[in-house]
Amino acid sequence: MSRFSTILFDLDDTLFDFSACWEQGMQQTIATHALTAGMDAAGLLSALRRHGDDLWIDVIAKKYDFTKYRQLRMQRAMADFNRIIEAGDVDDFQRAYQAACLDAVQPDPSVQQIVAQLAEQHKLGIVTNGPVDMAFIKLERLGLSSYFPQDRVIISELLGYHKPDPRIYATARERLEAASGEVLFVGDTWEADVAGAIDAGFSAIWLNPKGKTATTDHKPLAVIERLDQLPSYLSFM
């Protein structure tokens, strides 16, 4: 039996492949939206990724909220193609992208089975650096809402601070009424889901399907390539 009473998961790229859904949604929207139809789709997608990564640092630093982040990402990407656009145009594009992205979120029976199995012996929660307008819809589309009640889904946008801010882990611990030593954090991002969780007193397992390199000396309990490897590790802990 696992020594952990509580397992916290990251959401995007942990419980499902958000990167693939993001790309599919963006490609569809770029091809069909009046703002971008006829543009170099691959080039614009690359620019959106690049500017999104650059701006994310400022989101973590609380310089921008998610609405401003999305607007600036699109405006700067379009500026690379010598197009100046207004914030309102970005908002309409974002609505179309969001619908297309969420349509790409599909339930995975293997993930549902793993979560159901873990829920038999553990309290489960989610801690995500993401916008509130998509998180609960994603869980519903994934068929996982019943395992993660809303009060156990900790969303950075609602709190006003993001992983690896220690306050977000403290909020999760309080919400799930667990001692730090009883909490296991599972996620794909080293700084947010491994280093930050360990600094908060949790244990961590790194989901690392692409073989990324750790950037600090933190020691996770294990490194796994697929979520279906998680139960077997827990059986030995």
Side-chain angles (χ1 to χ4, degrees), residues 157-175:
E157 184 180 31
L158 288 177
L159 294 182
Y161 37 85
H162 311 271
K163 297 179 291 184
D165 188 308
R167 291 173 292 179
I168 199 167
Y169 310 102
T171 298
R173 185 184 64 245
E174 292 165 5
R175 291 262 192 98

Side-chain angles (χ1 to χ4, degrees), residues 28 99 109 112 135 160 190:
Q28 179 179 329
Q112 291 175 330
W190 179 264

Side-chain angles (χ1 to χ4, degrees), residues 98-145:
Q98 185 169 316
C101 176
L102 290 172
D103 281 345
V105 178
Q106 298 294 324
D108 183 336
S110 65
V111 172
Q112 291 175 330
Q113 182 179 0
I114 292 164
V115 171
Q117 177 184 344
L118 295 175
E120 293 176 358
Q121 296 185 5
H122 306 84
K123 290 184 290 185
L124 303 183
I126 286 174
V127 183
T128 177
N129 276 356
V132 68
D133 60 1
M134 295 179 74
F136 294 113
I137 302 174
K138 291 172 186 175
L139 287 171
E140 183 179 351
R141 297 285 176 90
L142 293 167
L144 299 176
S145 295

Side-chain angles (χ1 to χ4, degrees), residues 25-42 44-45 48 74-75 77-78 81 83 85 89-90 92-94 96-97:
M26 278 296 182
Q27 286 176 336
Q28 179 179 329
T29 310
I30 289 168
T32 59
H33 195 276
L35 191 67
T36 53
M39 291 184 65
D40 172 9
L44 182 55
L45 195 67
L48 285 165
M74 189 66 180
Q75 288 176 315
M78 293 291 279
F81 294 83
R83 295 198 184 190
I85 60 173
D89 295 326
V90 180
D92 187 68
F93 179 92
Q94 175 64 28
Y97 150 73

